[in-house]
Structure formats: structure tokens, C-alpha cells
Amino acid sequence: MSHDGHHSIVIPAPGPEFVPHTVAHHFDSPVQEFQSMKLGFWLFLATEILLFGGLFAAYFYFHEAFPETFRVGGAQLDWRLGAVNTTVLLVSSWTMAMGVRCAQTSQKQKTLMFCALTLVGAVAFMVIKFFEYKAKNDHGLVVFSELFSGYNEATGQLAWFKDYDGVMANVPHGHMFFAIYLTMTAIHGLHVVIGAGLIIWIMKGTAKGRFHAGYYLPVDLVGLYWHLVDLIWIFLFPLLYLVP
Amino acid sequence: MSTNVPVIDAHPTISEPPKNYLNCSRGFMSWAGTLDHKRIGIMYLIGVSAAFLAGGVFALLVRLHLWEPHGMLFTNETYNQIFTLHGAFMVFIFVIPAIPGSLGNMVLPLMLGAKDVALPRLNLLSFYLWCGGTLLATLAIVLGGFDTGWTFYAPYSLYTDQAVVSIGLGIFLLGFSSIFTGLNFIVTTHKLRAPGLTWFRMPLFVWAIYATAILQVLATPVLGITVLLVAFERLYNIGIFDPRLGGDPVLFEHFFWFYSHPAVYIMVLPAFGIISELVTVHSRKPLFGYKLMAFSALAIAIISFLVWGHHMFTSGQSTFAMFAFSFLTFFVAIPTAIKEFSWVATIWKGSIALNSPMLYTLAFLIIFAIGGLTGVILGALNVDLHLHDTYFVVAHFHYVMMGSIALAFFAGLHHWWPKMFGIMYDETLAKIACALIFIGFNATFIPQFIMGSQGMPRRYATYVPEFEGYHHASTIGAVILGSGVALMVYYLLASLLIRKPAMQNQWGGVTLDWLTPTPPPLENFATPPSVTTEVYDYSTLDYESLRTPVR
Ligand code: HEM
Ligand SMILES: [Cu+2]
């Protein structure tokens, strides 16, 4: 594309280890670019919240419908692991915020360090999640190997819900709690993974010196995304592990 | 509205045609990888038009099948697939993206005096998500088809042995395409307005697209999660919509209509926007009640979140809910009626030019009055218990979706065609096509109102012989309608070959979109415009531009 007659706006790099930022051609000023991206991203976050809103609505509906199922089901989750994971995410939100702060003040090495710490948090979260899932698997509450094997109309058996210990035997539709638990935490886990990928991307850019006091927008946005991932977990944890 | 700089190219003596967004670069990748909102708009236009034609073929097949009471062409199962394809293609792939994707992309940044939309990459992504969704929907046909109706009601959509997952994921992608378009337009409207272009100087098309965008962003995620949940049901029996597993199919209906009622306004608000522009330009008169029009668009957007239950009067929801939803439905009618009256009042004593965009606009005004009022009839609780799931409902929503929205799309297309391509189509053929479409449309759906009120149920492959006459009338109407559309396709495509030059300002518009050269250059304005006058101020019209042909 040619920009005959238009000269682009360049934000200079604050030091030799950084690269300047060129404002996209259709913006009149860096401020306009910054505000546009920021507004757009907030709107995107709103859609994420609404997406989860549907899941929360389903949660509340069936919590009302089968309170016993949710009480007994919730008791099968290990609230200590949940609490550890909550702490991990909260701390990682803090390290992310510090990372953004350091990007804003052109502290390249520190930005990298805080991003790496956040990444560690993401990995720790997923590892703990894995062991939680494994425990559910071992008790037959979510048999992952048979997740897609369907429902047997004749026997009334759901392939992935075996409940070896019979803990849910006395409540109606025992699988319901675990179906909702699995769906909500898996979609949340997917967001954690995506967030981790974004953080890696940010770290690459930081290493190349693209982000500094003059231009730190992507770091800022990924930070917001990470806080959202954290925020959603803050709701999931009490609803799934504690409320029942 | 006028600008402080003369932006129209006034040097017709230079032989080389001026560079514009169409001829500035060539080759496949210069289109497929473009970030220019106008080129993306054109790609959307091609895409949604193809979807409309495909959906139209399905519609004609449905109507032909119903020529005979026991059905003429297909097995009952195939019939179910065909009407489902018709509905799903028309709703998700055509009507929802049509106006924002094509004309919105083309015109909105021009009207704002911007160089592009705020997030051009996201704009291209939105187009490719649309392609992906359409591909998955088409793939679903190959994978065995789907027969759930466009509404995917559980539990049938959970049990039927067909490609529901593929189409479901397709709709998920289409949903995000729509969300990203809306998000982009909100940001663009907030941040990229030209100096002096205050909110109440924005053309109403911008207001309409803005109100639509709010709905796209706030309602569509719920559809996204709903189709995902249906896919999960089919993949691993999550159970929340499945009564065998303790789930509740009515919950699906709530989720679905929580999106899909606002979605009807996602579809119709852009159409309102087009009509608002066209009535003023072609009557050369400022819009009657401009602020009221802007606020009523927002009011519609807000109230539309509160009425979804009117699709569920027979689902067994509580009496209180039925009462509340019925009451709120009547409320929507108020801002909607404000719009209709404002358009009519705008034309009143105007200097009306009966060219083809205006004819489509007039057709819209007549058809939408009927479509909107029959909605109010359906919103009345006791009446709806009788009319629900009959052809009356089918006729109602075709009066709004086909008769109003598609016609407004055609109107806008004819209005901005000379702007987009710098050429004119054959006006005589355009008028004939418009007449065919108007006559054919009414002939198709008036019999359906009558049949419906007498109890003809929708979505049936066969019917009792008493209705045969009405079905004949309806099918004949559909053929007339189809021939009108075919004629339109013909002369629009032909105009691309004949290349009869349009005027710089073909109709005499005074909003910024008419103040750039035609077709617009790559970044829209030679010098950044600024706005100094009120909107639709025809005293600022530069008559020279009406007589200057495009080179
Ligand atoms: C303005 C554009 C409108 C559009 C695009 C539209 C679209 C639709 C569609 C698609 C349906 C059928 C859904 C289905 O079951 O497949 C429908 C039904 C309905 N519409 Fe509209 N509509 C519009 C305006 C209105 C208005 C203004 C009202 C009332 C104030 C209204 C009230 C209703 C009601 C009550 C039903 C449910 C009928 C039933 O299923 O029993 N609509 N509309
Ligand atoms: Cu509705």
C-alpha cells in the first residue's frame, strides 16, 4: 500500500535497546491509536464475560433445580487444591501487573522477568488442574477416556460418569454437577492456555525491544486479558468448591 | 454538512483516470489480504449476495414442493433439510452480516470522515470468520445435512442423527465475525470521527450501525455459548438441555431467544439506517425528528433485550412472565413506530425523486408497516396462543426480514452502487425489477397470513387440500419474486461491463460519503475533512457535483 503524501507518525525509542513504534496509518495521533485499541479490547472482554455468563446462568439454574446434587458433588472437589490455584492466579495477576508497569517505564529485563513469573503461575495452575482432573477420573466422576462414548438410552448409563464409589448414588442426576464443573473449568483452562501463549508473544516482543514507555499497548492488553482469566476463576472457585 | 476544503476532484482534463481504491493495486492478494474497509466491504458484498442467492434457491424449492398438498418434490426428511438450510443461510449467513458487513464497511468510515475503520486487521479477520462459518455450514450439507430448523430447538437438535455439530460450530464462527464487526464499528464511531462531527451531526446510518453494534457485542456471545453447549451435548452429553439427563429444553429456548430476539434488531436496525439516509437524500429534505430517530434506535436496542419471552408463550413459562413479556413487546412498538412516522414525515412535501433507490425505499415503508404491526398482533398473548407456529408467524417475519430488510439492502445497494464503482446500472430495468419484487413478495406472503390465521402450521411438508389455493398463490408469488431478483442480479452485473459513468454525487447527498471523489481514493479523503454544518443541510449542496461525471 502506498501512502503518498502521508508521512507516518513515529514514536522514538527511549534507548538503543528499543525500537521505535510507527502509529498505524489510519490514526491521526498515538493517543487515538491507544484509546481505540483499549476501547476495542474492553469490548472484547465484555463479550468474554457474557460468554461465561451463559455458563453461570446454567450453573445457577441447575443449582436451584438439584441443590443436593450440587452439595454432594461440590464435596467431591478438593477445596484445598482450589484454594492453592486461586492463590497462584492471584499472585500471577500481581506479577502481570508489575510486568505492565515495568514495560511502561522501559525496564526491559524486569518486564521479561515478571512475564516469566506469570507464565510460571499459568503452568502451575494447569498442572494442579491436571491432578484435580486425574482424581475425578480415578473416582469415575469424569472418565476422560469415555468422554465421547455417549449415553445408553436402554440402560440409562452415561459412559463418562461411572461413580465407582457410589458417592452420587443418592442424589438425582449426579453427573450434572460434574458436567458443569468440567465444562466451566475446561473453558476457563483454555483461556489460561491462550493467556500463556499471549504472554510468550509479549515476551518475544519485549526481548526485541518493541515495548517501552512510548508504546506498551500490547503488554497492557495482555495484562487485562490475564486479569480477566483471574477474575473468572475468582467466581468459579467459590461457586464450584465452596458454595455447595 | 460541508467541509472547509473542496475535496471533489475538479480537474477533468487530465487523461489518466485518478487513482481510487479499486484501481490502486491489482492481483488476488491485493484483495484477499487487503486491510482497506472498502475492499473488505466489496468482498462481504459478494459473499452475502451469494448466500442470498443460495438461500433463495432453497426457498424456491420449498415453495415448489408445496405446490401439491402431499408435497411435490422431496421426501418429508429432505423437505425438513431444505427449509432448515433456507432459514439458516438466510438468517446467519445473509441477513445478519449483510448490511453491516457490506454497506456498513463501505460507508461508515466515509460518513465519519475517517481513513479506515479503527481496527482494520480485525475487520479482515471478521470477514474470514464469516467465510469459515459459511464453509462449515456448507460442509454440514455434505456431512448429511441438518433438519432442525434455524432455531435448533432442543431436545430434537440433540437427538437428530445429522451434522448439527458442524453447523453449530459454523454459527459460532459467524457469531464472532458479527461481534468483531460490531466491536470495530463502536470503536470507529467513538474515536475516528472527523473534527466537528459531533454525535448529533452524525448521519442516521451511523447511529443505526452503532446501535446495531451494541447489540452485536452484547447479545451474540450468548448465542456463541448456546451453540457450543448444543455441540457439547452431542459430543459428551453435558445434559443441561437434555431431559433424559435431568436437563431442561426450555432453558435452551431462553438462551436462544435471549440472543435471537435482539438479533432481529441486529438485522433490522441497519435497514432502518439505510432508509433514514435514503428518504432524506431522495426527498432532498432534512430528516424529520433527527434526535428522536437517534434515540429511538438506542431505545430499540435496549428494550429488545427484554422481550425474548414472546417467542415462548406456549412453552409453559409462568403467567407472570407471559404477561411481562407481552407488555414489554408492546413497548418495542413505540420507538419502531416513531421511525416509520419520521420517514413518512420526511417525504411529506419533499422534492421526491422517484428513482430506483427511492422506489425500494417506498416499498420498504409499506411492507415494514405491515411487518411491524403484525408483530404487535403476535405480541398480544391470547392472539399468539392461536397464531404461534403457524404461517402467520412465517408471513410476519418475512415481511420484516425479506420485505423490509432485504429490500432496504437492495435500496442501499442501488443508492451506493454509483459511489462504490463509479458506474450506473440501467434505471429502467431497476424499476421493473423493483416492481416485480414488490408484487411477487406480497403475492407470496399475503396468502400466508390468511392461511396462518386459519391454522396452517409452519414447517410441514404436507397440508390439507383446503389450503391448496393459497399455496398456489404463494408459490406463483415466489416465482415472480425470484424473477425480479434474477433481473436485478443481471443488470447490476451488466453495469460492471457496460460501465456507464455515474455522477460524482449521483443523488445529491450532503453527508461526507458524497463529498469524496467517486469512487473514493485509498484513504478516502484527499485532505482530512472537517464538519462545520448540521447534518442533512441541503443548502450546502454543490450542484456542480451532480453534473460532473466520474472519469
Ligand atoms: C423489526 C423487525 C422484526 C424482525 C426482523 C422480526 C423477526 C421475527 C422472527 C424471525 C420471528 C420468528 C422466529 C421463529 O419462530 O422462527 C418473529 C416472531 C415474532 N415477532 Fe417479530 N420481528 C420484527 C418485529 C417485530 C415487532 C415490532 C414485534 C412486536 C412489537 C414482533 C413480535 C413478534 C412476536 C410476538 C413473534 C413470535 C410469534 C410466535 O412465534 O408465536 N416482531 N419475528
Ligand atoms: Cu422477538
Side-chain angles (χ1 to χ4, degrees):
Chain A
M1 242 180 274
S2 71
H3 310 293
D4 307 347
H6 303 276
H7 42 86
S8 7
I9 306 164
V10 177
I11 306 175
E17 71 273 40
F18 293 107
V19 289
H21 168 70
T22 311
V23 175
H25 72 99
H26 59 291
F27 291 115
D28 294 332
S29 68
V31 177
Q32 193 185 37
E33 178 178 53
F34 182 84
Q35 291 184 346
S36 299
M37 304 298 253
K38 198 105 183 205
L39 176 61
F41 205 78
W42 275 107
L43 288 168
F44 173 69
L45 293 184
T47 69
E48 287 274 21
I49 290 174
L50 284 159
L51 201 98
F52 274 96
L55 291 172
F56 281 114
Y59 171 92
F60 285 116
Y61 183 91
F62 288 103
H63 187 276
E64 278 308 296
F66 309 121
E68 272 302 282
T69 310
F70 276 64
R71 193 181 62 74
V72 182
Q76 309 307 314
L77 304 185
D78 190 338
W79 67 267
R80 279 167 303 238
L81 286 183
V84 171
N85 252 349
T86 309
T87 319
V88 167
L89 277 192
L90 279 176
V91 172
S92 78
S93 244
W94 177 75
T95 53
M96 190 68 226
M98 291 307 289
V100 174
R101 185 73 209 130
C102 292
Q104 287 171 345
T105 48
S106 307
Q107 293 172 281
K108 193 167 159 179
Q109 295 310 325
K110 277 192 167 179
T111 311
L112 281 174
M113 182 193 74
F114 279 116
C115 282
L117 284 175
T118 313
L119 207 54
V120 171
V123 173
F125 180 90
M126 290 312 289
V127 169
I128 294 175
K129 196 85 240 151
F130 170 80
F131 282 108
E132 283 194 74
Y133 279 169
K134 186 163 179 308
K136 300 290 134 334
N137 189 54
D138 294 346
H139 290 97
L141 295 172
V142 182
V143 183
F144 281 91
S145 57
E146 300 206 35
L147 195 56
F148 303 114
S149 307
Y151 172 74
N152 188 324
E153 183 97 58
T155 61
Q157 281 297 314
L158 189 56
W160 61 258
F161 185 69
K162 295 262 180 357
D163 190 13
Y164 302 132
D165 310 333
V167 283
M168 308 298 287
N170 297 323
V171 295
H173 305 295
H175 73 279
M176 189 64 95
F177 176 81
F178 295 98
I180 289 179
Y181 162 78
L182 176 70
T183 308
M184 291 182 103
T185 54
I187 294 185
H188 176 260
L190 183 67
H191 280 75
V192 173
V193 174
I194 294 174
L198 290 174
I199 292 170
I200 294 175
W201 173 67
I202 283 302
M203 289 172 72
K204 277 192 178 160
T206 307
K208 286 187 192 143
R210 282 180 51 216
F211 309 130
H212 45 73
Y215 179 71
Y216 52 83
L217 182 73
V219 190
D220 207 354
L221 300 185
V222 171
L224 283 176
Y225 186 83
W226 192 254
H227 296 321
L228 177 87
V229 171
D230 188 16
L231 183 76
I232 289 171
W233 179 257
I234 302 279
F235 282 95
L236 284 182
F237 171 58
L239 285 180
L240 292 170
Y241 293 73
L242 304 181
V243 165
Chain B
M1 202 186 302
S2 81
T3 64
N4 56 4
V5 280
V7 280
I8 291 180
D9 187 355
H11 305 283
T13 45
I14 310 164
S15 57
E16 179 86 347
K19 283 271 179 232
N20 59 47
Y21 78 103
L22 291 168
N23 63 12
C24 65
S25 58
R26 286 184 191 286
F28 178 74
M29 278 319 290
S30 79
W31 281 86
T34 184
L35 297 180
D36 177 40
H37 67 97
K38 301 179 287 304
R39 285 194 168 192
I40 294 175
I42 299 276
M43 294 197 292
Y44 255 118
L45 179 61
I46 296 169
V48 297
S49 304
F52 176 70
L53 296 180
V57 170
F58 296 132
L60 283 177
L61 290 176
V62 165
R63 284 305 337 153
L64 285 179
H65 176 80
L66 293 173
W67 184 260
E68 283 170 15
H70 51 271
M72 198 168 83
L73 296 178
F74 313 111
T75 63
N76 294 352
E77 288 74 17
T78 314
Y79 175 83
N80 290 349
Q81 293 189 341
I82 304 261
F83 82 69
T84 301
L85 278 174
H86 164 65
F89 266 68
M90 285 301 199
V91 171
F92 294 112
I93 307 181
F94 171 65
V95 191
I96 291 176
I99 298 176
S102 63
L103 297 173
N105 254 322
M106 177 63 72
V107 177
L108 181 104
L110 291 176
M111 282 183 161
L112 293 174
K115 288 184 193 141
D116 205 320
V117 291
L119 311 163
R121 265 170 231 285
L122 194 69
N123 202 16
L124 187 65
L125 175 66
S126 156
F127 175 70
Y128 282 116
L129 284 173
W130 179 90
C131 293
T134 306
L135 208 69
L136 278 176
T138 316
L139 192 70
I141 307 178
V142 184
L143 291 176
F146 46 109
D147 62 351
T148 57
W150 76 280
T151 47
F152 298 95
Y153 268 23
Y156 183 69
S157 58
L158 314 183
Y159 305 157
T160 175
D161 182 27
Q162 306 209 24
V164 175
V165 173
S166 175
I167 174 80
L169 295 180
I171 289 172
F172 187 80
L173 295 189
L174 290 165
F176 268 88
S177 160
S178 170
I179 288 174
F180 290 153
T181 301
L183 191 157
N184 220 333
F185 289 166
I186 293 180
V187 179
T188 309
T189 309
H190 272 274
K191 299 292 175 196
L192 262 53
R193 299 196 309 278
L197 185 58
T198 58
W199 282 86
F200 288 116
R201 283 178 176 175
M202 295 194 315
L204 274 168
F205 183 67
V206 178
W207 272 104
I209 291 282
Y210 179 76
T212 308
I214 293 176
L215 291 179
Q216 285 174 303
V217 170
L218 295 184
T220 319
V222 178
L223 175 77
I225 193 68
T226 307
V227 291
L228 271 192
L229 287 169
V230 169
F232 293 165
E233 288 280 5
R234 295 185 63 96
L235 293 171
Y236 64 89
N237 299 82
I238 160 168
I240 65 176
F241 300 142
D242 189 342
R244 299 175 309 183
L245 292 166
D248 186 349
V250 176
L251 185 66
F252 172 87
E253 291 187 33
H254 280 293
F255 275 25
F256 183 82
W257 289 115
F258 181 83
Y259 165 75
S260 291
H261 184 79
V264 310
Y265 287 98
I266 291 178
M267 306 175 211
V268 84
L269 281 171
F272 289 174
I274 291 180
I275 299 303
S276 301
E277 287 310 311
L278 270 58
V279 286
T280 105
V281 174
H282 298 279
S283 313
R284 200 154 295 172
K285 197 167 152 250
L287 202 96
F288 181 89
Y290 168 88
K291 279 197 182 174
L292 216 54
M293 286 293 261
F295 285 129
S296 61
L298 291 180
I300 287 174
I302 294 163
I303 303 174
S304 72
F305 276 106
L306 306 173
V307 301
W308 78 90
H310 67 210
H311 296 275
M312 301 169 57
F313 285 148
T314 59
S315 71
Q317 59 184 345
S318 74
T319 316
F320 176 74
M322 297 220 273
F323 169 75
F325 280 128
S326 180
F327 183 75
L328 288 165
T329 300
F330 280 77
F331 253 91
V332 182
I334 297 172
T336 314
I338 288 177
K339 293 199 159 286
E340 181 84 22
F341 288 131
S342 281
W343 293 321
V344 176
T346 304
I347 300 175
W348 168 257
K349 290 192 173 168
S351 159
I352 302 171
L354 281 180
N355 43 40
S356 55
M358 189 58 173
L359 289 180
Y360 278 110
T361 303
L362 295 176
F364 170 97
L365 291 181
I366 296 167
I367 294 174
F368 183 69
I370 300 173
L373 283 174
T374 49
V376 181
I377 293 174
L378 290 170
L381 193 47
N382 46 355
V383 183
D384 186 67
L385 292 180
H386 174 66
L387 293 176
H388 178 66
D389 259 345
T390 66
Y391 266 51
F392 193 91
V393 176
V394 176
H396 155 66
F397 70 71
H398 280 89
Y399 261 75
V400 277
M401 289 161 85
M402 171 66 211
S404 307
I405 302 169
L407 253 64
F409 174 62
F410 299 160
L413 194 61
H414 286 74
H415 181 75
W416 279 295
W417 190 266
K419 185 79 212 175
M420 289 192 269
F421 299 112
I423 53 176
M424 264 305 278
Y425 41 82
D426 186 326
E427 265 280 275
T428 316
L429 288 183
K431 287 175 184 166
I432 296 172
C434 180
L436 283 176
I437 290 174
F438 183 72
I439 294 166
F441 172 80
N442 285 297
T444 311
F445 292 104
I446 287 175
Q448 298 195 10
F449 274 132
I450 303 171
M451 270 191 276
S453 66
Q454 295 175 0
M456 168 75 209
R458 66 190 280 201
R459 294 179 169 167
Y460 277 41
T462 58
Y463 53 86
V464 291
E466 282 86 335
F467 292 126
E468 196 170 0
Y470 294 121
H471 275 289
H472 282 177
S474 187
T475 302
I476 293 170
V479 172
I480 299 175
L481 173 57
S483 54
V485 171
L487 180 61
M488 183 176 74
V489 172
Y490 162 73
Y491 67 73
L492 285 180
L493 290 180
S495 79
L496 294 173
L497 299 175
I498 299 170
R499 307 208 68 81
K500 178 179 158 219
M503 299 299 145
Q504 282 290 347
N505 186 348
Q506 181 72 31
W507 317 110
V510 288
T511 45
L512 283 178
D513 49 328
W514 293 104
L515 299 182
T516 61
T518 299
L522 189 58
E523 289 191 339
N524 296 345
F525 297 88
T527 20
S530 65
V531 178
T532 51
T533 51
E534 296 311 314
V535 65
Y536 306 128
D537 179 353
Y538 288 93
S539 68
T540 66
L541 180 59
D542 166 18
Y543 285 89
E544 198 51 46
S545 65
L546 273 74
R547 293 185 289 267
T548 315
V550 171
R551 289 180 304 120

